Amino acid sequence: MGNNRLKVMVITQNDTFYIPTNILKASKVCNIVEVVNNRAKYALDNKILDMLKWFGFFQCAKMGFRTIWRKVQGVMDVVSGYKMYGGRCNIAHSAKVIGADFHVVSNLNVKDYVQHVRDIAPDLIISYSAPQIIKPELLSVPKYGIINVHGALLPNYRGCMPSFWYLYNNEKLGGATVHYMSADIDDGDICLQGSVDISDCKTMFQLMKKTKELGGELVVETIKQIATGTLKTRKNDTENGSYFTWPTVEQAKEFRKKGYSLN
């Protein structure tokens, strides 16, 4: 993209399966200078006890073994100089591969961090499922604002764990949306959106693989359109959409009775 490459910061949460690849994809069309692991209260790393209540010991143990193996792959990747997996096993590794700084931040809205972002002066911030509501002080810093990728077809399925609720409601079509962030949850104008067939998905892991991959592609296209001044947004009609919060234990039991699982 030549001289039109935007200076970008990425805010996300700890992920070893999907987001590192999406960071690497985005770096092909912009200059990512910093990647932040937002370890806020509602980050999935802090929801382990809830996961146990929702999905039971066996499913969480299975996910745990999958995560441990991914960490082993990450170690092998580091030892090989990122030749084995190319930094796709860890968000810190993807930051290293592209030459970006990496930080862990528990609260994005504190004065010192907002000033840190002002000092960097990014053109754009990308949120890959950042687990914290961002306040106006930070929202106003980047020249082109903050965009978020949400694993659902907004304005429907705003809120928490759309992969769970898509399966719970026996949906056959899912998707991903890139939208501008505002002070409310999943409320800003829609940049780009795409749908994907989820009729064959029986686990949240299968569904997220599809929506996260699609979301990564949509972010790349959104960056290109912002850089060239061709992006055309549309209203996120939240009044006619749907919103979901964390499931209850009873809803999680019903989810499992329907034949669905975490992974």
Side-chain angles (χ1 to χ4, degrees):
M1 294 177 62
N3 294 329
N4 288 330
R5 286 177 70 90
L6 302 178
K7 181 194 286 190
V8 172
M9 296 177 65
V10 169
I11 297 171
T12 184
Q13 55 183 305
N14 191 32
D15 176 83
T16 58
F17 297 104
Y18 315 109
I19 296 173
T21 297
N22 286 342
I23 292 172
L24 293 168
K25 285 181 180 178
S27 72
K28 303 295 184 184
V29 296
C30 66
N31 178 26
I32 297 176
V33 296
E34 182 170 292
V35 175
V36 174
N37 175 8
N38 181 206
R39 294 202 65 177
K41 178 180 178 180
Y42 294 110
L44 289 179
D45 276 357
N46 297 325
K47 301 292 287 184
I48 294 174
L49 291 179
D50 288 315
M51 290 288 183
L52 281 167
K53 289 189 293 184
W54 295 332
F55 302 111
F57 176 80
F58 176 76
Q59 278 296 310
C60 289
K62 185 179 176 183
M63 191 70 216
F65 283 123
R66 191 192 291 269
T67 301
I68 290 169
W69 172 238
R70 191 63 169 170
K71 288 183 178 180
V72 171
Q73 291 176 311
V75 171
M76 293 189 293
D77 199 28
V78 172
V79 170
S80 71
Y82 301 109
K83 292 178 182 177
M84 289 189 69
Y85 298 100
R88 295 189 296 275
C89 300
N90 186 292
I91 57 174
H93 296 175
S94 61
K96 178 75 172 177
V97 167
I98 64 177
D101 292 335
F102 178 77
H103 299 289
V104 178
V105 179
S106 59
N107 188 347
L108 301 171
N109 297 306
V110 295
K111 182 178 179 181
D112 287 349
Y113 185 73
V114 174
Q115 185 57 53
H116 168 73
V117 178
R118 288 197 182 104
D119 292 341
I120 293 175
D123 296 311
L124 179 72
I125 294 179
I126 302 169
S127 160
Y128 291 102
S129 304
Q132 183 177 4
I133 295 174
I134 297 177
K135 294 182 179 179
E137 288 80 6
L138 182 54
L139 288 171
S140 66
V141 174
K143 179 179 180 181
Y144 296 110
I146 303 179
I147 59 172
N148 178 61
V149 57
H150 182 71
L153 292 167
L154 296 179
N156 293 314
Y157 290 94
R158 294 163 50 239
C160 304
M161 292 177 68
S163 56
F164 175 93
W165 294 111
Y166 266 130
L167 295 177
Y168 182 87
N169 292 324
N170 300 308
E171 299 281 10
K172 303 303 179 186
L173 188 70
T177 304
V178 178
H179 65 97
Y180 276 107
M181 294 190 81
S182 66
D184 294 319
I185 297 174
D186 302 327
D187 184 68
D189 287 351
I190 292 171
C191 301
L192 292 175
Q193 190 172 65
S195 59
V196 63
D197 179 16
I198 59 171
S199 61
D200 61 339
C201 294
K202 291 297 181 183
T203 73
M204 290 171 58
F205 197 83
Q206 291 172 334
L207 192 152
M208 285 189 289
K209 184 177 188 298
K210 290 189 174 188
T211 57
K212 296 284 188 183
E213 287 179 352
L214 174 60
E217 294 167 2
L218 293 172
V219 167
V220 168
E221 183 58 32
T222 301
I223 295 169
K224 290 179 180 178
Q225 292 187 19
I226 290 173
T228 57
T230 57
L231 179 67
K232 297 185 183 301
T233 62
R234 60 184 175 87
K235 179 177 170 56
N236 186 0
D237 187 12
T238 56
E239 291 185 2
N240 293 310
S242 56
Y243 178 88
F244 293 87
T245 186
W246 301 106
T248 65
V249 173
E250 288 303 315
Q251 287 169 328
K253 287 181 180 178
E254 188 176 352
F255 176 88
R256 300 198 301 271
K257 285 179 180 178
K258 291 180 177 184
Y260 300 120
S261 62
L262 175 61
N263 66 113

